[in-house]
């Protein structure tokens, strides 16, 4: 997922689709040994649930990619543990009185992992690449008139309108990372990206793993680990077995039905935290009868979200019909769809829909979508809709979504920070991830206005109005906000579970 669409997150994920490219097989690289500038040393083996579609941060929207890239790249600013934007490559910034000119001062002496200096020229190149090529996160730069570097240590961002979430747009996740021009132009960024983060990519073996080694040129505190190896383990039961056996020391791919017993046990450390993610069903409004909002609403009433959430997450999620979770200041308490099969049947009948067959696209790399789809299919069968579940690997899923080749799909968006990230790209008629072709001029106006509204009260009201209309139109049928659940060996120290699901290993140590 966008932020990561899960590719939806999601993300972004994601968050969902970027320019896809097949990952070429790389040579396996031994990351053991080497000088230990940071401390305890060792290689951390991390099991993730699937393989990145690619490692170009500006073109991927897959969460599996961002799990790796979080440790390879830097952004101008970044979210701390409380999701407050703090310095990263920029050490400070000032804003003009009219809020239209932001001036950032870059950290001195920063280098890419290949030794070349990172300057304002690289920041300008990175942002202009996203904007000019209309890449996944170009929507985050909608109010940006220009990005300039008057000197190597200064970046000036000029806006067409005040933008209260500019910092989140410029650094909320690694989809807006600062990239190296030569790495991009050579094409090697897809499998061998060059960043300025705490680790660097040393090898990519397609179908198996991505290997990172410590970046000894890193501007911050040097990582204690010699390296991190991300292995691709689709089966949560296998990932847990590997964690218990010591084959891996970290995973976020745990069987949800075992989480509570794991938390209460004396084996691996298992921690959870509320997330800023949401999961949903989208219906293709470019296809009949899903172009009729009454049909989409009828399906909304046919769904028992409590049952879906229980089956998919085993209590590790909170049902929510409006995307933004309860912990957020922008949460909007609105839940118009009760589980009412009788009403759903009546609405379908009034819409002239009977004996409908639809396909529901899910991905095996997010097993909860497969489980949830089975429950959804049973619930829709009760109102006369036959669901054919189509299970794809994630790369295929993304490709089908981009082509609009679906009746419906289920997925999630991960790591959202600002309310704009919950709604704009997905529900604005020109949104990058509006693959289901939703269009409502009133929603467009609300989302456009909220982006430049500096009064927090008025901004919250605009997003509440937009959320209500999106839910009433059944643009997405929102299901739940999941918890972040991760497990690691007792030999691991310095790791924290984050609500935005960013996987940061730069401060982690691994005991011998």
């Amino acid at each position: 997922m966008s932020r990561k669409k899960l590719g939806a997150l999601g993300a972004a994920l994601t968050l969902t689709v970027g320019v896809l490219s097949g990952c070429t097989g790389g040579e396996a690289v031994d990351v053991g040994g080497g000088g230990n500038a940071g401390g305890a040393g060792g290689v951390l083996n991390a099991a993730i649930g699937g393989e990145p579609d690619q490692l170009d941060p500006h073109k991927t929207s897959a969460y599996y990619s961002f799990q790796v890239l979080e440790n390879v790249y830097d952004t101008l600013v970044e979210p701390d543990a409380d999701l407050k934007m703090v310095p990263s490559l920029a050490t400070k910034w000032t804003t003009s009185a009219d809020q239209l000119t932001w001036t950032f001062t870059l950290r001195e002496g920063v280098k890419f992992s290949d030794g070349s200096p990172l300057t304002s020229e690289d920041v300008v190149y990175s942002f202009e690449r996203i904007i000019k090529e209309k890449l996944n996160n170009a929507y985050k730069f909608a109010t940006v008139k220009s990005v300039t570097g008057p000197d190597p240590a200064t970046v000036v961002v000029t806006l067409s309108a005040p933008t209260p979430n500019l910092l989140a747009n410029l650094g909320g996740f690694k989809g807006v990372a600062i990239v190296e021009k030569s790495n991009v132009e050579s094409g090697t960024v897809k499998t061998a990206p060059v960043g300025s983060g705490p680790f660097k990519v040393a090898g990519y073996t397609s179908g198996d793993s991505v290997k990172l080694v410590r970046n000894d040129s890193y501007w911050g505190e040097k990582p204690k680990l010699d390296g991190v190896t991300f292995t691709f383990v689709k089966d949560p039961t296998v990932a847990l077995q590997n964690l218990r056996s010591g084959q891996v020391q970290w995973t976020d791919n745990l069987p949800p039905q075992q989480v509570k017993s794991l938390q209460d046990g004396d084996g691996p450390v298992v921690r959870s935290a509320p997330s800023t993610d949401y999961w949903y069903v989208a219906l293709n409004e470019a296809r009949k009868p899903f172009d009729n909002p009454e049909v989409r609403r009828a399906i909304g009433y046919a769904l028992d979200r409590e049952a879906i959430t229980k089956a998919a997450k085993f209590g590790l999620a909170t049902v929510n019909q409006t995307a933004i979770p309860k912990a957020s200041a922008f949460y909007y308490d609105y839940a118009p769809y009760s589980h009412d099969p009788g009403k759903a049947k009546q609405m379908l009948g009034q819409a002239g829909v009977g004996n409908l067959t639809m396909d529901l696209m899910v991905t095996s790399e997010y097993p909860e979508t497969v489980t949830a789809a089975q429950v959804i299919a049973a619930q829709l069968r009760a109102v006369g809709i036959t669901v054919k579940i189509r299970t794809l690997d994630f790369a295929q899923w993304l490709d089908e979504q981009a082509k609009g080749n679906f009746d419906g799909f289920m997925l999630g968006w991960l790591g959202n920070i600002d309310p704009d990230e919950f709604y704009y790209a997905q529900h604005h008629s020109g949104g990058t991830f509006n693959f289901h072709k939703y269009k409502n001029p009133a929603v467009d106006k609300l989302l456009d206005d909220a982006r430049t509204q500096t009064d927090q009260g008025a901004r919250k009201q605009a997003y509440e109005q937009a959320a209500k209309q999106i839910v009433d139109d059944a643009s997405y049928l929102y299901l739940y906000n999941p918890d972040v659940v991760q497990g690691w060996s007792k030999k691991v120290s310095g790791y924290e579970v984050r609500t935005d699901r960013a996987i940061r290993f730069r401060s982690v140590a691994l005991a011998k």
Side-chain angles (χ1 to χ4, degrees):
M1 177 169 120
S2 247
R3 126 176 251 21
K4 324 124 186 137
K5 181 143 182 190
L6 275 188
L9 223 186
L13 57 200
T14 339
L15 87 161
T16 291
V17 83
V19 177
L20 301 178
S21 68
C23 294
T24 57
E27 293 295 320
V29 175
D30 180 6
V31 296
N36 182 10
V43 175
L44 178 80
N45 292 296
I48 58 178
E51 181 170 358
D53 64 332
Q54 62 173 305
L55 296 178
D56 183 338
H58 295 168
K59 289 190 174 182
T60 185
S61 60
Y63 178 58
Y64 298 133
S65 300
F66 287 115
Q67 287 183 285
V68 176
L69 297 174
E70 181 68 33
N71 299 279
V72 174
Y73 279 103
D74 289 314
T75 43
L76 207 56
V77 293
E78 68 174 9
D80 67 8
D82 298 319
L83 305 188
K84 177 184 176 183
M85 303 308 297
V86 298
S88 181
L89 291 177
T91 58
K92 62 182 180 179
W93 50 89
T94 58
T95 310
S96 63
D98 62 5
Q99 300 183 55
L100 299 180
T101 304
W102 291 61
T103 303
F104 296 86
T105 300
L106 299 184
R107 193 177 299 276
E108 294 182 4
V110 176
K111 294 181 179 180
F112 285 106
S113 58
D114 65 359
S116 59
L118 188 156
T119 70
S120 61
E121 185 177 335
D122 300 292
V123 178
V124 172
Y125 169 75
S126 298
F127 290 167
E128 287 191 343
R129 180 188 185 220
I130 295 171
I131 295 166
K132 292 179 179 178
E133 296 184 26
K134 298 180 180 179
L135 302 181
N136 284 343
N137 293 292
Y139 72 96
K140 294 178 179 291
F141 295 82
T143 60
V144 174
K145 288 176 62 177
S146 67
V147 183
T148 59
D151 62 64
T154 306
V155 174
V156 178
V157 178
T158 305
L159 307 175
S160 60
T163 306
N165 62 329
L166 183 68
L167 292 179
N169 287 345
L170 299 184
F173 83 119
K174 295 303 186 285
V176 289
I178 306 308
V179 299
E180 184 184 62
K181 184 177 181 179
S182 60
N183 184 232
V184 171
E185 292 183 340
S186 69
T188 54
V189 67
K190 294 175 182 177
T191 54
V194 174
S196 59
F199 295 92
K200 58 184 178 180
V201 175
Y204 188 160
T205 304
S206 184
D208 180 64
S209 63
V210 178
K211 296 190 177 185
L212 310 183
V213 296
R214 182 177 54 244
N215 175 17
D216 286 323
S217 299
Y218 181 52
W219 54 265
E221 182 180 350
K222 301 299 185 291
K224 299 177 178 64
L225 296 169
D226 291 325
V228 180
T229 298
F230 290 90
T231 58
F232 317 140
V233 183
K234 290 185 180 181
D235 189 331
T237 302
V238 174
L240 176 58
Q241 290 172 348
N242 291 350
L243 180 62
R244 282 174 162 159
S245 70
Q247 187 175 338
V248 303
Q249 293 81 44
W250 181 96
T251 187
D252 63 345
N253 191 21
L254 295 167
Q257 66 271 27
Q258 296 189 48
V259 168
K260 189 177 187 309
S261 62
L262 288 168
Q263 289 176 326
D264 295 338
D266 58 359
V269 178
V270 175
R271 296 285 184 266
S272 63
S275 77
T276 58
D277 310 343
Y278 65 86
W279 289 71
Y280 63 96
V281 170
L283 300 170
N284 191 345
E285 298 178 29
R287 293 184 175 182
K288 293 183 179 298
F290 308 111
D291 60 330
N292 185 344
E294 286 299 296
V295 173
R296 302 195 300 272
R297 291 186 193 109
I299 293 174
Y301 282 108
L303 298 181
D304 181 346
R305 288 165 176 78
E306 293 286 352
I308 295 167
T309 302
K310 183 177 180 181
K313 300 303 294 184
F314 293 86
L316 298 169
T318 303
V319 171
N320 185 8
Q321 294 190 28
T322 57
I324 297 180
K326 290 182 179 179
S328 170
F330 285 90
Y331 171 68
Y332 177 47
D333 188 5
Y334 184 59
Y337 298 105
S338 57
H339 178 222
D340 192 337
K343 185 170 184 175
K345 284 183 179 179
Q346 181 183 24
M347 293 176 71
L348 288 169
Q350 290 172 345
V353 174
N355 300 317
L356 175 64
T357 298
M358 62 170 283
D359 92 299
L360 183 62
M361 191 169 67
V362 296
T363 173
S364 55
E365 293 179 40
Y366 292 98
E368 67 193 271
T369 65
V370 180
T371 303
Q374 294 166 349
V375 178
I376 290 169
Q379 292 172 358
L380 295 187
R381 190 180 308 122
V383 300
I385 299 175
T386 300
V387 175
K388 294 185 177 181
I389 299 171
R390 186 157 51 112
T391 305
L392 306 173
D393 67 44
F394 195 47
Q396 290 176 304
W397 191 101
L398 289 169
D399 194 37
E400 290 290 89
Q401 185 201 40
K403 293 175 180 176
N405 188 21
F406 60 88
D407 290 332
F409 66 76
M410 178 184 171
L411 207 63
W413 273 81
L414 307 184
N416 310 286
I417 296 178
D418 188 82
D420 181 77
E421 297 175 25
F422 286 85
Y423 297 125
Y424 194 93
Q426 304 88 338
H427 305 288
H428 192 283
S429 60
T432 311
F433 296 103
N434 185 356
F435 295 109
H436 58 301
K437 303 304 181 185
Y438 171 69
K439 186 174 183 179
N440 185 321
V443 170
D444 283 357
K445 186 175 190 312
L446 285 165
L447 294 178
D448 284 333
D449 290 348
R451 299 188 111 188
T452 58
Q453 176 57 257
T454 57
D455 180 273
Q456 282 293 89
R459 192 166 189 249
K460 185 175 190 297
Q461 185 178 35
Y463 280 116
E464 288 180 351
Q465 292 173 354
K468 183 179 187 302
Q469 192 63 59
I470 288 165
V471 172
D472 287 345
D473 289 343
S475 174
Y476 277 2
L477 295 170
Y478 294 110
L479 300 174
Y480 55 80
N481 301 118
D483 293 344
V484 182
V485 181
Q486 297 166 358
W488 56 88
S489 165
K490 290 180 178 178
K491 293 182 178 181
V492 171
S493 60
Y495 183 78
E496 295 181 359
V497 177
R498 294 174 54 92
T499 60
D500 65 351
R501 211 178 284 266
I503 308 303
R504 293 183 183 174
F505 290 129
R506 64 195 186 201
S507 300
V508 167
L510 183 64
K512 301 294 185 185

